[in-house]
Amino acid sequence: MMQGEIPKGMAGAGAGAGAGELKKGPWTAAEDEILTEYVRRHGEGNWNAVRRNTGLLRCGKSCRLRWMNHLRPDLKKGSFTPQEELVIARLHAQLGNKWALMASQLPGRTDNEIKNYWNTRVKRHRRAGLPLYPPDMQSFFFSSPPPSPTTPLQLGRQRRTVPPSPLMVERPLLFAFSTSAPASPILTNNGNGVPLLVPPLSQFAFPLSTPASPSTSTAPLLPLLPPPLLAGNHELPSNQLVVPGEALTTAAAADAYMVDAMVEELRGDGELLVAEACNVDQCSYISPHQHSHAFNGSAGINMKSEPQCATESIDANQILNTIPTPSTVTTDDELGLAMQLEQCPLITEEDWNIGACPWNNMPGMS
DNA sequence: AAAGGCTGCAACCGCACTGTC
DNA sequence: AGACAGTGCGGTTGCAGCCTT
C-alpha cells in the first residue's frame, strides 16, 4: 500500500476502528489533512489533544511523528546530497547515533531520515567491505581501528546515560594510545551532568600535519568538517555555514560556527572538565560496558567529585577541537575493516561514495 | 515470467527526560 | 517527593517496490 492511499475499511480518519481504538499503520491523506489543519490552527505540541479535538484515532506520539517526519512544511524532500552525506558522516563520527542532534545540523532533514540513511549505509558498506567514514577521517584510523557503527547491544540502554559517541567515548583507550592523537583527553559535560570524553584541544582548522605536542593539550587533530566542504562552493544550509551578518572567509570560521552550534547543544550547563596532560595511566578507562554506571560515583570515574586527572573549566569553544576517538569495542567486521583501511590508504573524496568507489578488488571483498 | 532477496522508508515501541501538580 | 502527562529519542519492524537469478 502506498503512502497516502486509503486502506480498505479505513477510509477517512478513524474509519474502521472502534470507538477508543487507536489506529496504526500508514497514514491516509485524510488523516494528514486533519493533522495539518490542526497544527495550522493550534500550532505544534500538545499532541494528545489532537485526538481529543479532531477525533483522529491516532495517539499523540503518532501525530507528532507524522508531523515532524512528513507534514512539516520546512521538510526537504529527496535523497541526501553528497554534501549532506559528508556532514552526516562527520557528525556521526563525533556524536555517534545522536540522530536528533545530527538532524539539527541538517535543516529540513529528520532524525528518522538520517537514521535510515546511516543504517542503510552501514549495511551497504559493511557488505562491500568499505570504510564508513570519509578519507580525511580514515587517516586518523590508520593508527587505530575505525569506529563502531554502533550496535544496539552496545548502545541500546546507554542513551541518556552516557552519550554514545563512538569516536569520543567508546574507545578512549585506543584513542589514548593512538600515535596520531596524543593522549590528552578532555572530560566534558553533555548537559545531562554526564561527562564525555573528548580529545585534546587543537587548532581545529589547522592542517593535520601540524606538529603535535604531546605535552600540551593543543595537538592538531581531525577537524569536524573538512575544509573543502565548508570553504568551497558546496551548498549547505545557511545555518551551517554562515553566522548571520558575518562573512564566512575561512574554513576555520565555518568549522567554528558549525561546532559552536553543536557545542551549544552539548555543553548543557556549560561545565566542561578538562583532564590536563592526562595519559592512560592517569585517566580511568571507561569501557562501553561501564557507561551506564561509570559516572555515578559507584564505578569508573566521577570527574566531578573525584577526578583522577587535574581538571579545569574551559571555554566551550575549545570543543571545536574534538576529534574522533576509536572505540574499545572491536568486532570481527571492524577488524577486517581496519585491515582493509590500512591496506588502502589512498582514498580520495571522490572515491568515498560507494557508487564511485573502485575498491571492488579490496582484500576481503567477495 | 516468476520467485526470492534486497533496499529504502514509514511507523511503531520502549525508555528517558521534563514539567506540573 | 512522588505520580503523572507530555514529549523526545533511538532501535526495531513491516512492507512495498526494485533487483537479481
Side-chain angles (χ1 to χ4, degrees):
Chain A
M1 177 176 57
M2 295 297 290
Q3 188 70 39
E5 196 177 325
I6 300 176
K8 289 178 185 172
M10 289 187 178
E21 248 178 72
L22 289 178
K23 193 187 152 199
K24 292 182 182 179
W27 280 64
T28 67
E31 288 176 311
D32 283 349
E33 198 175 330
I34 290 171
L35 179 58
T36 302
E37 179 63 14
Y38 178 86
V39 174
R40 191 183 66 78
R41 290 187 179 186
H42 301 93
E44 296 180 14
N46 205 8
W47 297 107
N48 287 324
V50 176
R51 184 185 173 200
R52 289 196 296 268
N53 296 338
T54 67
L56 196 57
L57 294 179
R58 296 282 185 172
C59 70
K61 290 177 71 168
S62 185
C63 291
R64 175 187 164 272
L65 198 69
R66 183 66 184 171
W67 174 257
M68 292 299 186
N69 288 348
H70 300 282
L71 301 179
R72 265 163 54 201
D74 59 328
L75 284 181
K76 193 188 290 183
K77 303 291 183 184
S79 55
F80 288 102
T81 66
Q83 288 75 32
E84 285 175 318
E85 291 176 357
L86 271 174
V87 171
I88 291 169
R90 282 165 172 75
L91 288 174
H92 188 272
Q94 289 219 285
L95 303 170
N97 294 3
K98 306 299 286 185
W99 312 117
L101 195 53
M102 293 163 76
S104 71
Q105 297 295 317
L106 290 165
R109 300 299 189 179
T110 69
D111 52 355
N112 208 37
E113 219 175 351
I114 295 171
K115 178 172 59 183
N116 284 336
Y117 161 76
W118 189 260
N119 288 340
T120 299
R121 176 193 175 80
V122 167
K123 270 194 276 182
R124 219 185 331 154
H125 281 230
R126 275 198 162 178
R127 185 176 296 117
L130 295 174
L132 275 174
Y133 296 93
D136 60 324
M137 300 176 67
Q138 290 168 27
S139 65
F140 166 79
F141 295 131
F142 290 152
S143 60
S144 57
S148 164
T150 308
T151 66
L153 283 179
Q154 291 168 343
L155 295 176
R157 295 278 73 82
Q158 290 173 16
R159 191 159 48 83
R160 302 288 167 81
T161 308
V162 170
S165 172
L167 302 179
M168 293 297 109
V169 180
E170 290 185 26
R171 299 154 76 185
L173 187 58
L174 284 181
F175 166 74
F177 280 120
S178 165
T179 55
S180 67
S184 298
I186 300 163
L187 286 168
T188 179
N189 194 301
N190 76 335
N192 295 325
V194 179
L196 281 167
L197 255 187
V198 296
L201 307 179
S202 70
Q203 297 76 21
F204 182 73
F206 286 16
L208 292 174
S209 58
T210 302
S213 175
S215 61
T216 70
S217 61
T218 56
L221 296 169
L222 190 70
L224 174 67
L225 292 171
L229 176 62
L230 288 159
N233 359 344
H234 297 284
E235 188 179 331
L236 278 181
S238 59
N239 73 340
Q240 289 181 23
L241 283 176
V242 184
V243 179
E246 289 184 10
L248 178 66
T249 55
T250 65
D255 285 350
Y257 179 67
M258 183 79 176
V259 182
D260 270 347
M262 295 167 60
V263 167
E264 281 307 307
E265 297 204 51
L266 285 168
R267 65 187 300 198
D269 60 8
E271 180 177 2
L272 297 175
L273 300 175
V274 183
E276 270 194 326
C278 202
N279 61 31
V280 177
D281 294 331
Q282 294 167 323
C283 287
S284 295
Y285 160 56
I286 306 162
S287 79
H289 307 294
Q290 291 173 307
H291 284 170
S292 62
H293 56 259
F295 299 111
N296 63 9
S298 61
I301 58 174
N302 183 337
M303 292 306 293
K304 280 193 172 179
S305 57
E306 292 181 334
Q308 297 185 19
C309 303
T311 63
E312 67 175 8
S313 294
I314 63 169
D315 187 279
N317 283 332
Q318 290 181 295
I319 205 173
L320 293 180
N321 309 302
T322 350
I323 177 184
T325 303
S327 165
T328 52
V329 175
T330 305
T331 65
D332 291 344
D333 283 353
E334 291 165 359
L335 279 173
L337 202 54
M339 292 172 67
Q340 289 165 9
L341 280 173
E342 303 216 5
Q343 292 168 23
C344 287
L346 299 176
I347 301 165
T348 67
E349 210 54 73
E350 289 72 24
D351 292 338
W352 179 54
N353 289 319
I354 188 168
C357 185
W359 318 331
N360 46 9
N361 59 348
M362 288 171 66
M365 296 279 293
S366 53

